[in-house]
Amino acid sequence: MPQASASSFWGRIAIPLFAVLVALALQVIAMLIFTTAGGVAGLFIARIVQGLSTGAAVGAVGAGMLDLNKAKGTITNAVAPIMGTATGGILSGLIVSYLPAPVHLVYLVLLGIFILQGIGVMLMPETSAAKAGALASLRPQFGVPSAARRAVLLAIPVLVAVWSLGGFYASIGPAVVRTVVGSNSLLLGGFALFVLAGSGGVAVLLLRNTAPRTVMALGTAALIVGVGVTLLAISYTSTAAFFVGTVIGGAGFGAGFQGAIRTAIPLAAPHERSGLLSTLYVVSYLALGLPAVVGGFLVVHGGGLLPTAREYGIAVMVLAAIALLGLARPARRTFPEPSRTTVSSDDLERTVCVHS
């Protein structure tokens, strides 16, 4: 293919599919780096590439689902990350516990999945017209529309609280579980994350028709109760209480995340959704990663595993309490300006529900 022709092709393919294909290619590269990494530096590089690929895809995929169906797309954006966490936790635990080459096999499995997904995306029919700017579409887009600013400010404390809890279970959680249960089984750590995220996914589905603000309030309250029960279980080394607290906290995890997404996203115009989704996911991923790094540092250089787990849990409860206080403030009814975008009667009704 001549150079000019190639440039024209890559500049005019449908932007959403192009972004997804590039993201999948980066995921394949990340899995190859994970598989061949010989030390911490290689793992960090793989994580960076993986993060870039996730950022390139999440806005385009999420906005595409909203374009297909606003109501179902909003729910899917809330449940997909949670159920992915649940599935990843239990499958990784099974692979590490029962299959050969545990350090490499999980990445090889994901490598094959990403290649198959890339083939599937290339075979998908275009849902939007090809236009110039595909390469420019890979530039991250972040934004908070003026109509959604108050909703986002309300959602941020909730997102930080719920994903900090997810970071706890994904980082020091497996070691805490093994200590509480008194077993060295690697599967237990993955099972605890599966229980947390699985109960969160169930909560999303059960509360999908409940007003978003109510869902957020229920989620933050459940988070406080669940983490409190879990901390008591750690103190008294009660396995049953630990998993009861995990189920309750997981329901709060799912409900809080769903409420935050459903509160903010319907207030954005179609061309603003991708940037808003990316902003919400950046907050979520930072809340998932940074506290987990701090927790790991404190385990090694601070008071040890169980004291750090207690301090981490108390911090999550405080964050959830702050979010709950914010939700207790009366909501103001606001409506998007008619000049910004054409609003259907269904969208207007949904906007009223969001603020009620």
Side-chain angles (χ1 to χ4, degrees):
M1 179 181 293
Q3 183 66 31
S5 177
S7 175
S8 175
F9 172 77
W10 289 111
R12 297 191 61 81
I13 66 171
I15 287 175
L17 290 186
F18 179 74
V20 174
L21 281 173
V22 171
L24 288 171
L26 288 174
Q27 288 284 12
V28 168
I29 294 172
M31 294 307 106
L32 290 172
I33 298 173
F34 272 127
T35 304
T36 58
V40 175
L43 294 176
F44 270 115
I45 293 172
R47 281 296 184 193
I48 291 171
V49 175
Q50 189 181 43
L52 291 172
S53 67
T54 302
V58 68
V61 173
M65 289 189 293
L66 288 168
D67 289 339
L68 292 173
N69 188 299
K70 190 179 231 181
K72 293 181 180 178
T74 303
I75 296 297
T76 303
N77 275 305
V79 75
I82 298 172
M83 295 312 295
T85 301
T87 304
I90 194 66
L91 290 181
S92 296
L94 289 170
I95 289 174
V96 170
S97 298
Y98 299 112
L99 294 179
V103 176
H104 300 96
L105 183 58
V106 63
Y107 300 120
L108 292 174
V109 170
L110 290 171
L111 174 65
I113 291 173
F114 290 134
I115 291 174
L116 291 175
Q117 287 178 335
I119 295 172
V121 169
M122 286 189 290
L123 296 176
M124 286 175 60
E126 302 285 9
T127 58
S128 60
K131 58 182 180 179
L135 291 174
S137 72
L138 297 178
R139 185 175 61 250
Q141 296 182 10
F142 305 101
V144 178
S146 58
R149 284 174 187 167
R150 188 171 186 274
V152 169
L153 289 176
L154 196 67
I156 284 176
V158 180
L159 292 173
V160 172
V162 300
W163 284 103
S164 293
L165 180 62
F168 169 82
Y169 275 85
S171 56
I172 64 175
V176 172
V177 175
R178 291 195 295 271
T179 301
V180 172
V181 176
S183 169
N184 291 323
S185 172
L186 296 174
L187 181 59
L188 283 173
F191 181 70
L193 183 59
F194 171 77
V195 171
L196 178 85
S199 62
V202 171
V204 169
L205 296 176
L206 292 178
L207 297 173
R208 64 186 181 278
N209 296 321
T210 305
R213 193 182 179 97
T214 302
V215 174
M216 274 203 295
L218 291 173
T220 50
L223 207 65
I224 294 171
V225 174
V227 175
V229 171
T230 303
L231 292 181
L232 288 175
I234 292 173
S235 298
Y236 292 97
T237 60
S238 171
T239 302
F242 182 89
F243 281 102
V244 168
T246 299
V247 170
I248 298 172
F253 172 49
F257 184 56
Q258 178 195 180
I261 294 293
R262 286 177 54 202
T263 297
I265 293 301
L267 301 179
H271 67 281
E272 299 168 329
R273 291 173 189 159
S274 179
L276 178 56
L277 266 175
S278 296
T279 300
L280 296 177
Y281 278 123
V282 164
V283 172
S284 300
Y285 289 139
L286 287 175
L288 175 69
L290 292 180
V293 172
V294 173
F297 177 84
L298 291 177
V299 168
V300 177
H301 301 286
L305 178 62
L306 295 185
T308 298
R310 294 187 186 98
E311 293 166 2
Y312 197 122
I314 291 171
V316 171
M317 293 175 70
V318 170
L319 286 170
I322 293 172
L324 198 57
L325 287 174
L327 288 167
R329 297 179 60 187
R332 293 182 300 177
R333 292 177 179 269
T334 58
F335 300 90
E337 298 177 9
S339 59
R340 290 178 61 85
T341 185
T342 302
V343 182
S344 68
S345 58
D346 289 341
D347 288 344
L348 186 58
E349 180 181 356
R350 189 177 294 109
T351 302
V352 173
C353 291
V354 164
H355 289 274
S356 60

